[in-house]
Amino acid sequence: MKGLNIFAGPQLDLCIKRNDWIWLLMSGEDGAGTGKQNIPYQNTLASITFGLGYRFDFGLDLAFSYNAGIVSNVKEYSDKNCVFQLTAGYDLCKLFKLCGKK
């Protein structure tokens, strides 16, 4: 349906595959250098999401949301993800004329 929408709810993120090694900028005496560290990331994250969206007549969808993490993303720390997100999409039913009018 076209128009303004408000949404809120839980979000679950699953990591299917990743490289655990991450390159970090390490400070040395000269202030430069690189190092490689193994970071113990979680494979599953949970967050609460809320935001606003708008769907236009021609099928374009725009949304702005905030995701507040409730589970730490690194096993050894208590830091949680907090993300602002801008989303753009298009209604495929309108694009391919797959859905009838209601």
Side-chain angles (χ1 to χ4, degrees):
M1 289 179 26
K2 70 174 185 157
L4 185 67
N5 60 72
I6 300 171
F7 54 91
Q11 176 173 305
L12 182 65
D13 300 321
L14 303 172
C15 179
I16 304 300
K17 181 181 177 185
R18 72 161 173 262
N19 182 353
D20 283 338
W21 290 97
I22 181 171
W23 286 95
L24 298 175
L25 184 62
M26 309 272 293
S27 61
E29 287 184 16
D30 61 356
T34 59
K36 197 175 183 181
Q37 285 188 346
N38 191 355
I39 306 295
Y41 288 106
Q42 298 280 32
N43 287 328
T44 305
L45 296 175
S47 60
I48 300 295
T49 301
F50 54 93
L52 299 178
Y54 192 85
R55 177 170 281 182
F56 295 91
D57 285 333
F58 54 94
L60 178 66
D61 237 339
L62 297 175
F64 180 76
S65 63
Y66 178 73
N67 301 339
I70 56 177
V71 175
S72 175
N73 58 333
V74 179
K75 293 178 185 176
E76 298 168 356
Y77 302 102
S78 61
D79 295 340
K80 298 176 178 87
N81 283 343
C82 295
V83 178
F84 286 102
Q85 186 171 313
L86 180 62
T87 307
Y90 194 81
D91 185 354
L92 294 178
C93 284
K94 284 201 179 268
L95 182 64
F96 296 111
K97 299 181 181 14
L98 299 172
C99 305
K101 289 193 174 194
K102 294 180 181 178

